[in-house]
Amino acid sequence: MRKYFVDTVLELMEQDEDLFFLTADLGFGSFEVIQSKFPNRYYNVGIAEQNMVGMACGLSIKSKKVIIYSIANFSSLRVIEQIRNYLVYHGSKVLIVNGGGGFSYGQLGYTHYATEDISMMSSLPEIDIFAPFDAKTIAGSIHEWYDNSKVAYLRLEKNEIDIVGNISYLDGFAVVGDHSCHNKIICFGSVSAEAIKSKDDLTNRIEVSVYILYRLKRIPKFFDTLNTGDSLLILEENSKRGGVGQFIFGNCIENNITLKKGRILAIQDSICDVIGDQNYMRLKHGISQENTEKFFLGQL
């Protein structure tokens, strides 16, 4: 996934001499190609994320576009005040990239979990939120930010989702399966892989369609297809509080959409001091294939 990201950044930097790239002492083994090609527009600021956001704001005030990068919670939670007061308030042309959302760095413990970033970013005004899941959506998300020239947040996952079968790319989301199916899973980011595995495993028992969001905040058009016969499961690798599920179901209420059955599988309101890889942490928090299947089988 990082390779697709770098390829798209290089493409845009070759086209636009006003596009800058800042990293906070991270990206070794991936970003050297950016540094070598554009040494005057690439800066490693060191372990100083707040300063990085300040630099990005200053460059933007001088009519530059800026991409800033750090891992896990360092480009989101650690610098939330600077993002709010510098980037959002000043309408900065900055793309904030989180290289490894959710439990991507689960082995490093609680300090490296990025499990509240979507909640915090979605609370800020006038900011787009992206979670691409393959090469196509990475390129599309970055180009959308570039064309809109406003602050945006991109959750760059480690792994591309492996999808076998037909997938339809629409505005802000993709659909795996039949649009008319009444059993729907809506997911955001790489946790969509758990939904895809569930769909495949349930094939001979229950038909399920998976809706993968890769842009949040603007209401996607699939709301028009929801009806009283639908069972809807929201799967996300983020806190349940202020997350994708509450955003989706809140909009269902506002649009007078009544569902047959609805559930949010997300990280609950508790502090977890368990350490493990991403698959283990998803299982530990109940956002795995197992619980997704249990929902549609009436066991959850």
Side-chain angles (χ1 to χ4, degrees), residues 267-280:
I267 299 167
Q268 299 302 311
D269 188 22
S270 61
I271 297 174
C272 180
D273 57 1
V274 174
I275 295 173
D277 66 21
Q278 192 166 31
N279 291 329
Y280 174 77

Side-chain angles (χ1 to χ4, degrees), residues 79-136:
V79 293
I80 192 66
E81 181 183 3
Q82 285 76 21
I83 290 172
R84 177 182 182 270
N85 293 345
Y86 296 172
L87 305 186
V88 173
Y89 184 58
H90 289 88
S92 301
K93 304 176 185 67
V94 176
L95 177 64
I96 306 155
V97 181
N98 175 342
F103 293 116
S104 293
Y105 290 90
Q107 298 99 323
L108 298 180
Y110 188 76
T111 58
H112 282 64
Y113 301 162
T115 51
E116 303 88 16
D117 59 321
I118 301 302
S119 302
M120 297 184 73
M121 290 298 172
S122 62
S123 71
L124 298 174
E126 300 184 9
I127 181 170
D128 283 331
I129 301 172
F130 300 101
F133 61 90
D134 62 7
K136 183 180 180 72

